[in-house]
Amino acid sequence: MNVITVDDYKNTYWPKLDSAIDQLLTQSPGDYIPISYEQIYSCVYKCVCQQHSEQMYSDLMCKITAHLEKVSLELQATSPEHYIEKFNLALSQYMGALHSIVPLFIYMNKFYIETKLNRDLKDDLIQLFTEHVAEKHIYSLMPLLLEAQSTPFQITPSTMASIIKGLYTLRPEWVQLAPTLFSKFIPNILPPAMESELQDYAAQDQKLQQDLMQNGFNRGDQSRKRAGEELSYNGSCSR
């Protein structure tokens, strides 16, 4: 293997990694990323073997930190009606990027981060999102989530589930900010219900049913038949 000098690393190897990381951090689900994973993996391997792990780790953390600070500023400028969806996109996009970034840097993780720093790359990168995005926005986000929970159909259940599970992954103690909301998506985080609380739960269910009825989902509304039932009914009448 040819010797990789500091200049080689700065001028040849890191720019390739930098470009690939950029694309991975900004990709949308389903996007095709025109990068060679084999080439990037090889770059990382060679840099680790040539004792550039410390600099590469520092560059990676600085690169992703700068990206997350930009994400945070964009969230800060987002209007309340789009805030939840924007946060969910940022969180999902970042977690998706980690699925590619962490394996690409597996040699650096194994031979530098784990052995010399006694840490793990994935944990470090999740912590970056926590510090530079989630912590800065959690107290703006939670009131909007609670409001959305009490307003049927304001956001999709999948969006709510994605955010709540993501926040729990980032920092489990955030459950204390909204225990009931978190318990709807994270099992076994609340103590067993006392008998005295069952009436409250029943009242909550009744309120949800009333909200559904007010939004047109009346169980007695025969005009909302499923398409299959409608076809079956019409077919039997035409005979």
Side-chain angles (χ1 to χ4, degrees):
M1 182 183 297
N2 295 330
V3 174
I4 300 175
T5 66
V6 172
D7 285 341
D8 289 336
Y9 168 80
K10 290 182 178 179
N11 299 323
T12 302
Y13 287 86
W14 175 249
K16 291 179 181 179
L17 299 175
D18 182 88
S19 176
I21 294 165
D22 256 337
Q23 294 180 68
L24 292 171
L25 287 172
T26 56
Q27 69 176 325
S28 297
D31 279 357
Y32 169 72
I33 305 298
I35 63 174
S36 169
Y37 287 88
E38 183 178 357
Q39 184 183 53
I40 300 305
Y41 187 85
S42 176
C43 278
V44 173
Y45 174 76
K46 291 176 181 177
C47 290
V48 170
C49 291
Q50 296 284 318
Q51 307 300 313
H52 295 289
S53 294
E54 182 176 358
Q55 185 61 52
M56 185 163 53
Y57 174 74
S58 175
D59 289 339
L60 176 63
M61 299 299 279
C62 289
K63 170 74 177 177
I64 294 183
T65 295
H67 168 77
L68 292 176
E69 288 177 346
K70 181 181 177 182
V71 168
S72 181
L73 288 174
E74 291 174 352
L75 275 171
Q76 191 174 337
T78 301
S79 60
E81 59 266 30
H82 299 117
Y83 193 91
I84 293 177
E85 292 288 352
K86 187 78 172 180
F87 185 92
N88 184 51
L89 175 61
L91 177 60
S92 301
Q93 194 173 49
Y94 185 73
M95 291 302 185
L98 294 195
H99 287 306
S100 296
I101 293 173
V102 172
L104 287 175
F105 286 85
I106 188 172
Y107 274 100
M108 183 183 72
N109 188 45
K110 183 175 182 180
F111 294 105
Y112 176 70
I113 302 175
E114 290 183 354
T115 58
K116 293 190 176 182
L117 303 181
N118 295 315
R119 296 204 303 268
D120 178 78
L121 178 59
K122 183 178 180 180
D123 292 342
D124 282 359
L125 296 182
I126 288 176
Q127 183 61 24
L128 284 184
F129 189 93
T130 303
E131 292 178 358
H132 295 282
V133 180
E135 282 184 353
K136 294 180 179 179
H137 295 273
I138 186 68
Y139 294 106
S140 298
L141 178 66
M142 288 310 303
L144 294 175
L145 291 176
L146 290 169
E147 180 184 354
Q149 179 208 13
S150 62
T151 308
F153 319 115
Q154 182 171 329
I155 64 171
T156 64
S158 61
T159 296
M160 181 70 81
S162 174
I163 293 177
I164 294 299
K165 291 177 180 179
L167 292 175
Y168 186 75
T169 297
L170 297 177
R171 185 154 293 174
E173 56 264 36
W174 279 338
V175 166
Q176 302 305 318
L177 297 176
T180 302
L181 176 58
F182 273 82
S183 70
K184 294 180 183 296
F185 303 96
I186 310 295
N188 304 320
I189 62 171
L190 293 181
M194 302 294 290
E195 185 175 352
S196 59
E197 297 173 325
L198 296 179
Q199 189 172 357
D200 292 336
Y201 293 151
Q204 291 176 12
D205 289 341
Q206 186 176 12
K207 182 179 183 303
L208 176 59
Q209 291 178 13
Q210 291 173 349
D211 290 339
L212 290 171
M213 292 172 66
Q214 290 173 2
N215 282 274
F217 285 78
N218 192 326
R219 286 179 294 179
D221 186 356
Q222 296 301 313
S223 67
R224 293 182 177 271
K225 289 179 179 290
R226 290 177 295 181
E229 294 174 342
E230 188 71 24
L231 289 172
S232 175
Y233 179 79
N234 289 339
S236 62
C237 287
S238 62
R239 291 178 182 175

